Amino acid sequence: MDTVRLKQDLHQLIDTISDTHILQEFYSIISDYSKSNNKTDILDELTEQQKLILNDSLDQYKSNETLENEQVKANTKKWLEE
């Protein structure tokens, strides 16, 4: 079934439904899908401060200025015990 025909059939099906709860559920599902399929870039949603922090982190990674997860855990444990 092609997209045009599918949309027509869906419209006809929706027109036959009188149960408000069912219509709200359909609307919620389609709306959620539409929002998740928006293809926005998460970077566009970051503040300038968040972008700076992210760029600093990337620079540290590129410069090999990172810690292994186990070291971070040990440092955190030590910090909490002080």
Side-chain angles (χ1 to χ4, degrees):
M1 184 179 297
D2 70 340
T3 304
V4 173
R5 178 68 187 175
L6 188 58
K7 287 180 178 183
Q8 289 171 342
D9 288 352
L10 186 57
H11 285 281
Q12 288 175 352
L13 178 62
I14 290 171
D15 288 341
T16 66
I17 299 172
S18 58
D19 186 322
T20 304
H21 178 72
I22 297 295
L23 290 169
Q24 287 173 338
E25 289 297 318
F26 272 129
Y27 180 82
S28 177
I29 291 167
I30 293 170
S31 179
D32 289 347
Y33 173 78
S34 178
K35 289 175 188 172
S36 69
N37 205 21
N38 197 5
K39 301 201 192 289
T40 59
D41 189 342
I42 193 169
L43 295 177
D44 294 336
E45 298 177 16
L46 297 178
T47 65
E48 289 305 314
Q49 181 67 26
Q50 290 169 323
K51 289 177 186 177
L52 288 172
I53 292 169
L54 181 58
N55 284 327
D56 285 346
S57 296
L58 290 172
D59 289 342
Q60 288 174 344
Y61 173 76
K62 289 175 186 175
S63 300
N64 204 24
E65 299 172 21
T66 59
L67 297 174
E68 295 291 327
N69 192 41
E70 293 305 316
Q71 184 61 48
V72 172
K73 287 180 183 180
N75 290 353
T76 303
K77 184 177 180 182
K78 184 178 176 183
W79 173 74
L80 289 173
E81 291 172 352
E82 292 178 354

